[in-house]
Amino acid sequence: MADDKEVIEALANEKRLFEPSLEFVKKANTASSALYEEAARDHEGFWARQARELVSWFTPWDRILDWNLPFAKWFVGGRLNISYNCLDRHVESGHGDRVAIHWEGEPGDKRTITYFELLDQVKRFANVLRDLGVSEGDRVNIYLPMIPEAAVAMLACTRIGAAHSVVFGGFSSQALADRINDASAKVLVTADGGWRRGEVFPLKSQADEALENTPSIEKVVVVRRGGNDVSMKPGRDHWYHELMEEASSDCPPTPLDSEHLMFLLYTSGTTGKPKGIMHTTGGYLTHVTYTFKYVFDIKPETDVFWCSADVGWVTGHSYIVYGPLANGATQVMYEGVPNYPGNDRFWEIIERYKVTIFYTAPTAIRTFMKWGSEEPAKHDLTSLRMIGSVGEPINPEAWMWYREHIGGNQCPIIDTWWQTETGGVMISPLPGVTATKPGSATFPIPGVAAELVDDAGKRVERGGGYLTLTKPWPGMLRGIWGDQKRYQETYWSRFAGRYFAGDGAKLDDDGYLWLLGRVDDVMNVSGHRISTTEVESALVSHPNVAESAVVGANDATTGQAIVAFVTLRGGSNVSEKDLRDHVAKEIGPIAKPKTIYFTPDLPKTRSGKIMRRLLRDVAEGRNLGDTTTLADASVVDELRKKATAAPNED
Ligand code: WTA
C-alpha cells in the first residue's frame, strides 16, 4: 500500500450519496434499522433467530454459541442437513416445479432444472458416492467446469455428510494434486473438459496427471461435457451418466451435527502452501441464507438471480449453490467467458432470462468499461433491480459506470466485502436501508462487528487502519485443515482478541468504510488471491532460475498484476514465455506473471532481505525512494532502466 495517502485523499473527496429509491424501499426485505438494533442488543440472540427462522433443523440446538477464542461452535447440539434445506423443503412446500437453475453453456446449449429435478439428481448422486465407498466424514474432490453437475456433486456430499473440496477448473494438475493430497480425498469428480472461449479445455487429462501422485483417491467420476477424448482407467474411472442411470433416487438426508465439517476450500496465504479453510454445517448455512435474504434482498417467487463467479471460488459456493438454493431462488448459471461469441454475451443473458439481480467482480466491470457502453446498450437490461460487486475494492469510476450503464441509474449497488474465511458477506449496504457512496462497502451488516486498528492494535475511529472483526459470526472458518496452529497465527495473533482480515481500510467522517486492499503478501489479481511466495516458489522450481521476487503492481483492469523479478543460474537462459508457461503448469494460468524482469541481482538490504517496496516502485514506474539501506544500489539502477524500456508481456 505504497500510495495509501493518495487513495485516502481521493476517497475523502467522494461526496456523492445515493439513497435507495422509494419504490425499492417499499418492497425491500428490510427497510429500517431494526435488524441493526436487534443485533446490537443481543448478538447471539439475533443469530439464533435467523437460524430458527431461515433454516430447518431436525434437532434443535442446546446452546447458541461456544466461544473459546479462536474456536467457535455455533448452534451446539443441533442437527440438520444442508441438501434438505436447499432442496427437499422447497419441494415439500409445493415448489418442486420452480426453476432452480437456468443453465447456459458457452456454445449456447441450454438446460432448465427445477427444484424437483435437482433433488432427484442429488439423491442419485449421493447414492453413487456411497456405492463408491464414500461415507460420513470422507472428503470428495470436485474439479469441474461451470455445469449443473458441480452443484449436484456438492449437494450430494452434504446429503451424506461427506466434505467437499472444490478445486477451480483453471488450476493446474500440480495444484490439484497438492489439494487432493492435503485433504486426503477419496473420490474425485471431474469432467472430460469444458467450454471456454469457443474451445474445449481438457480437465480429465489434467486430472490424470494429478492422479499419478494422489494415493488417497480410490475412484474417479467423469462427467461428459466437452466431448473430447479421454482415457478411462478400468476399475478406477467411471462415467457419471452411466452411474446415475443405475443409481436409486431413494436417499433420505442424513441428520448431521451443526459443527459437522461441510467443506474445505483452499486459499492462498502469505506462504507458498495453500490453506484448506474449514467450514461447518449449521453456522455456514445460517450465514449464507440470512445474507442472501437481506443483503441480496431475494424474492424467491419473482427474482432471477445471476452470480457470474465460478463455483470453484467461495463466491460460487455461497452465492451460486447454498445461499440461493436455501432461499428457494431461481438463478442463471453460465459456463463460459463474457466475450464469446461477442463482447455482449453477459447482457444478452440478462435480457434472455430477465435477470433481476446481478452479482459480479470489479475486474469484470472494468473490462466491460473498456469494451464500451455500446455493448450493454444493445440489450434490454430493465429487468435488473439490483446489482452487486465482490472480490476487490471497486473504484468510484467503475462503480458509477456500473450504476449508469448496467443499473440504468435506478438499481442499488451492493459492494460486498467478505472472504473465503468469513463464509458469507460481512460488510455491505442493505439495499433498502443504506445510502451508498461510490466505492465504499459502507457498514458491517447486522450481526457483524468490524473495527479498524492501528499498528499497536488501538482502535481507529477515523482514517486508515487494519480491518479486524471483533465478534464470532456463524459463517466463520473453523480453522485450517490439519494446521490449527497456522489458523491461530494467521488470523488471531497480530491483534489480541481480534480476527485480522489482512486488509487495510479507511473510515471517513460519516463512518463509511472504504476497503483499500491487502496489507500482506497476498496479491489480488482479478479478484483471485495469489500469494507472492507461491509464485516465487513456482519460478524457482524451474531448473534455470536461481532466485525470484514477486510483487503485485497496480493494474487498471485486474486490480493488481503479477510482476516477477528473476535471477537466472549462471550460464543458463530461458525465455520469458517458457517461465510464464512453467508457472501456469505449477499453479494455473491465473498465476502467470504479466511481466518478468531478468536481473543479475535482486535489491537486498545488508541483512539480505529482498526490498519489495523498491521492486513495487520499479514495477509501477515510480520514482525510487530511499535506497540507502541497499547493499548494492547499482542493482536498482539497472532494473529501472529495464522497466522504462518497452514492457515485455505476451
Ligand atoms: C478482497 C472473495 C474490497 C479482500 C469473497 C479480501 C474485497 C479478499 C471485497 C478475499 C470488496 C473481497 N471490497 N476488497 N467488496 N471483497 N475483497 O477469499 O482483500 O477470494 O480479503 O473471497 O478479497 O478474497 P476471497
Side-chain angles (χ1 to χ4, degrees), residues 523 549-553 561-565 593-597 615 618-620:
M523 300 173 286
V550 168
V551 297
I562 305 176
V563 176
F565 297 83
K594 182 174 179 191
T595 312
I596 298 178
Y597 295 113
L615 292 177
V618 171
E620 294 178 350

Side-chain angles (χ1 to χ4, degrees), residues 168 171 265-266 309-318 528-529 590:
F168 172 56
F171 273 123
L265 186 56
Y266 285 82
D310 190 285
V311 283
W313 308 113
V314 74
T315 307
H317 283 55
S318 301
H528 301 316
R529 285 163 66 174
I590 50 168

